[in-house]
Coordinates of all heavy atoms in Angstrom, one line a residue:
S1329 N 0.8 -1.2 -0.1 CA 0.0 0.0 0.0 C 0.8 1.3 0.1 O 0.3 2.4 0.1 CB -0.9 0.0 1.2 OG -1.8 -1.1 1.1
G1330 N 2.1 1.1 0.0 CA 3.0 2.3 -0.3 C 3.7 2.7 1.0 O 4.6 3.6 0.9
G1331 N 3.3 2.2 2.1 CA 4.1 2.5 3.2 C 3.9 3.8 3.9 O 4.9 4.4 4.4
T1332 N 2.7 4.5 3.7 CA 2.6 5.7 4.3 C 2.6 5.6 5.8 O 2.3 4.6 6.4 CB 1.3 6.4 3.9 OG1 0.3 5.4 4.2 CG2 1.3 6.7 2.5
M1333 N 3.1 6.7 6.5 CA 3.3 6.7 8.0 C 2.4 7.7 8.8 O 1.8 8.7 8.1 CB 4.8 7.1 8.3 CG 5.9 6.1 7.6 SD 7.4 6.8 7.5 CE 7.2 7.6 5.9
N1334 N 2.3 7.4 10.0 CA 1.5 8.2 10.8 C 2.1 8.3 12.1 O 2.7 7.4 12.6 CB -0.2 7.6 10.9 CG -1.0 8.6 11.4 OD1 -0.7 9.7 11.7 ND2 -2.2 8.1 11.8
Y1335 N 1.8 9.5 12.9 CA 2.5 9.7 14.2 C 1.5 10.4 15.0 O 0.7 11.3 14.6 CB 3.7 10.6 14.1 CG 4.9 10.1 13.2 CD1 5.0 10.4 11.9 CD2 5.9 9.3 13.8 CE1 6.0 9.9 11.1 CE2 7.0 8.7 13.1 CZ 6.9 9.2 11.8 OH 8.0 8.7 11.1
V1336 N 1.6 10.1 16.2 CA 0.8 10.7 17.3 C 1.5 12.1 17.5 O 2.6 12.2 17.3 CB 0.6 9.9 18.5 CG1 1.9 9.8 19.3 CG2 -0.4 10.5 19.4
D1337 N 0.6 13.2 17.9 CA 1.1 14.5 17.9 C 2.3 14.6 18.9 O 3.4 15.3 18.6 CB 0.1 15.4 18.4 CG -0.8 15.8 17.3 OD1 -0.6 15.5 16.0 OD2 -2.0 16.3 17.6
F1338 N 2.4 13.9 20.1 CA 3.4 14.3 20.9 C 4.8 13.5 20.7 O 5.8 13.8 21.4 CB 3.1 13.8 22.4 CG 2.5 12.4 22.5 CD1 3.3 11.3 22.6 CD2 1.2 12.2 22.6 CE1 2.9 10.1 22.7 CE2 0.7 10.9 22.8 CZ 1.5 9.8 22.8
V1339 N 5.0 12.9 19.6 CA 6.2 12.4 19.2 C 6.6 13.0 17.8 O 7.8 12.7 17.3 CB 6.2 10.9 19.1 CG1 5.9 10.2 20.3 CG2 5.4 10.3 17.9
K1340 N 5.8 13.7 17.1 CA 6.1 14.3 15.8 C 7.3 15.2 15.9 O 7.4 15.9 16.9 CB 4.9 15.2 15.3 CG 3.9 14.3 14.7 CD 2.7 15.2 14.2 CE 1.6 14.2 13.6 NZ 0.4 15.1 13.1
G1341 N 8.3 14.9 15.0 CA 9.5 15.8 15.0 C 10.5 15.1 16.0 O 11.8 15.4 15.9
R1342 N 10.2 14.1 16.7 CA 11.1 13.4 17.6 C 11.4 12.0 17.2 O 12.6 11.5 17.3 CB 10.8 13.5 19.0 CG 10.7 14.9 19.6 CD 10.5 14.9 21.2 NE 9.3 14.2 21.5 CZ 9.3 13.2 22.4 NH1 10.4 12.7 22.9 NH2 8.0 12.6 22.8
F1343 N 10.3 11.3 16.9 CA 10.3 9.8 16.4 C 10.2 9.7 14.9 O 9.5 10.4 14.3 CB 9.1 9.1 17.2 CG 9.4 9.0 18.6 CD1 10.3 9.8 19.4 CD2 8.5 8.1 19.3 CE1 10.4 9.6 20.8 CE2 8.6 8.0 20.8 CZ 9.5 8.8 21.4
T1344 N 10.8 8.7 14.4 CA 10.7 8.4 13.0 C 10.6 6.9 12.9 O 11.4 6.1 13.4 CB 12.0 8.8 12.2 OG1 12.2 10.2 12.4 CG2 11.9 8.6 10.7
I1345 N 9.5 6.5 12.1 CA 9.3 5.0 11.8 C 9.9 4.7 10.4 O 9.8 5.6 9.5 CB 7.8 4.6 11.9 CG1 7.8 3.1 11.9 CG2 7.0 5.3 10.9 CD1 6.4 2.7 12.4
S1346 N 10.6 3.6 10.2 CA 11.0 3.2 8.8 C 11.1 1.8 8.8 O 10.9 1.1 9.7 CB 12.4 3.9 8.8 OG 13.4 3.3 9.7
R1347 N 11.5 1.3 7.5 CA 11.3 -0.1 7.3 C 12.5 -0.5 6.5 O 12.9 0.2 5.5 CB 10.0 -0.4 6.6 CG 9.8 -1.8 6.2 CD 8.3 -2.0 5.8 NE 8.1 -1.0 4.7 CZ 6.9 -0.6 4.4 NH1 5.8 -1.0 5.1 NH2 6.7 0.3 3.4
D1348 N 13.2 -1.6 6.8 CA 14.2 -2.1 6.1 C 13.8 -3.5 5.5 O 13.8 -4.4 6.2 CB 15.5 -2.3 6.9 CG 16.7 -2.6 6.0 OD1 16.6 -3.5 5.0 OD2 17.9 -2.4 6.3
L1349 N 13.5 -3.6 4.2 CA 13.0 -4.8 3.7 C 14.0 -5.9 3.6 O 13.7 -7.1 3.8 CB 12.4 -4.6 2.3 CG 11.2 -3.7 2.4 CD1 10.6 -3.4 1.0 CD2 10.0 -3.9 3.2
D1350 N 15.2 -5.5 3.3 CA 16.3 -6.5 3.2 C 16.4 -7.3 4.6 O 16.7 -8.4 4.7 CB 17.6 -5.9 2.7 CG 17.5 -5.5 1.4 OD1 16.7 -6.1 0.5 OD2 18.2 -4.6 0.9
K1351 N 16.4 -6.4 5.7 CA 16.6 -7.0 6.9 C 15.3 -7.4 7.6 O 15.2 -8.0 8.6 CB 17.3 -6.0 7.9 CG 18.7 -5.7 7.4 CD 19.2 -4.6 8.4 CE 20.7 -4.3 7.9 NZ 21.4 -3.4 8.9
E1352 N 14.1 -7.2 7.0 CA 12.8 -7.6 7.5 C 12.5 -6.9 8.9 O 12.2 -7.6 9.8 CB 12.5 -9.1 7.5 CG 12.7 -9.7 6.1 CD 12.6 -11.2 6.1 OE1 12.7 -11.8 7.2 OE2 12.3 -11.7 5.1
V1353 N 12.8 -5.7 8.9 CA 12.7 -5.0 10.2 C 12.0 -3.7 10.0 O 12.1 -3.0 9.1 CB 14.1 -4.7 10.8 CG1 14.0 -3.9 12.1 CG2 14.9 -5.9 11.1
V1354 N 11.2 -3.3 11.0 CA 10.6 -1.9 11.3 C 11.3 -1.3 12.4 O 11.4 -1.9 13.4 CB 9.1 -2.0 11.4 CG1 8.7 -0.6 11.7 CG2 8.4 -2.5 10.1
Y1355 N 11.7 -0.1 12.1 CA 12.5 0.7 13.2 C 11.6 1.8 13.7 O 10.8 2.3 13.1 CB 13.7 1.3 12.7 CG 14.8 0.2 12.1 CD1 15.1 0.2 10.9 CD2 15.6 -0.5 13.1 CE1 16.1 -0.7 10.3 CE2 16.4 -1.5 12.6 CZ 16.8 -1.5 11.2 OH 17.6 -2.5 10.7
L1356 N 11.9 2.1 15.0 CA 11.4 3.3 15.6 C 12.6 4.0 16.2 O 13.1 3.7 17.2 CB 10.3 3.0 16.6 CG 9.7 4.3 17.2 CD1 8.8 5.0 16.1 CD2 8.8 4.0 18.4
E1357 N 13.0 5.2 15.5 CA 14.2 5.9 15.8 C 13.6 7.0 16.8 O 12.6 7.8 16.4 CB 14.7 6.6 14.7 CG 16.0 7.5 15.0 CD 17.2 6.7 15.3 OE1 17.5 5.6 14.7 OE2 18.0 7.0 16.1
M1358 N 14.1 7.1 18.0 CA 13.5 8.0 19.0 C 14.5 8.9 19.5 O 15.6 8.6 19.9 CB 12.9 7.2 20.3 CG 12.0 6.2 19.8 SD 11.2 5.4 21.4 CE 12.7 4.5 22.0
N1359 N 14.3 10.3 19.2 CA 15.3 11.4 19.7 C 14.7 12.3 20.7 O 13.4 12.4 20.8 CB 15.8 12.0 18.3 CG 16.5 11.2 17.4 OD1 17.3 10.5 17.7 ND2 16.1 11.3 16.2
D1360 N 15.6 13.1 21.3 CA 15.1 14.0 22.3 C 14.2 13.3 23.3 O 13.1 13.9 23.6 CB 14.5 15.2 21.6 CG 14.3 16.3 22.6 OD1 14.9 16.3 23.6 OD2 13.3 17.1 22.3
L1361 N 14.5 12.2 23.8 CA 13.7 11.5 24.6 C 13.3 12.3 26.0 O 14.2 12.9 26.6 CB 14.2 10.1 24.9 CG 14.1 9.1 23.9 CD1 15.0 8.0 24.0 CD2 12.6 8.6 23.8
K1362 N 12.1 12.1 26.5 CA 11.8 12.7 27.7 C 11.4 11.6 28.7 O 11.0 10.5 28.4 CB 10.4 13.6 27.4 CG 10.8 14.6 26.2 CD 9.5 15.4 25.9 CE 9.8 16.2 24.7 NZ 10.8 17.2 24.8
P1363 N 11.3 12.0 30.0 CA 10.9 11.1 31.0 C 9.5 10.5 30.7 O 9.2 9.3 31.0 CB 10.8 11.9 32.3 CG 11.9 12.9 32.0 CD 11.7 13.3 30.6
E1364 N 8.6 11.3 30.1 CA 7.3 10.8 29.8 C 7.3 9.7 28.7 O 6.3 9.2 28.4 CB 6.3 11.9 29.5 CG 6.8 12.9 28.5 CD 7.4 14.1 29.1 OE1 8.2 13.9 30.1 OE2 7.3 15.2 28.5
D1365 N 8.4 9.5 28.0 CA 8.4 8.5 27.0 C 8.8 7.2 27.7 O 8.8 6.0 26.9 CB 9.5 8.8 26.0 CG 9.3 10.1 25.2 OD1 8.1 10.3 24.7 OD2 10.2 10.9 25.0
T1366 N 9.0 7.1 29.0 CA 9.2 5.8 29.6 C 8.0 4.9 29.4 O 6.8 5.4 29.7 CB 9.6 6.2 31.1 OG1 10.8 6.8 31.1 CG2 9.6 4.8 31.8
G1367 N 8.3 3.7 29.2 CA 7.3 2.6 29.2 C 7.7 1.4 28.4 O 8.9 1.3 28.0

């Protein structure tokens, strides 16, 4: 379906979702982490 992405507002600009088909992995790159990101 083209792999369009969606983010919840409180992570926009900080988190990035991506996919590596060769490695068969989906990543979540998380930057500028805050205590409220704990979980």
Side-chain angles (χ1 to χ4, degrees):
S1329 297
T1332 53
M1333 296 163 278
N1334 195 8
Y1335 297 91
V1336 69
D1337 284 346
F1338 54 77
V1339 304
K1340 284 181 180 178
R1342 299 191 299 126
F1343 291 11
T1344 303
I1345 192 169
S1346 63
R1347 180 172 52 204
D1348 187 326
L1349 299 177
D1350 289 336
K1351 295 182 179 179
E1352 299 180 339
V1353 175
V1354 172
Y1355 297 109
L1356 184 68
E1357 184 76 35
M1358 307 186 295
N1359 298 312
D1360 190 24
L1361 284 163
K1362 307 175 186 299
E1364 52 265 40
D1365 294 318
T1366 293

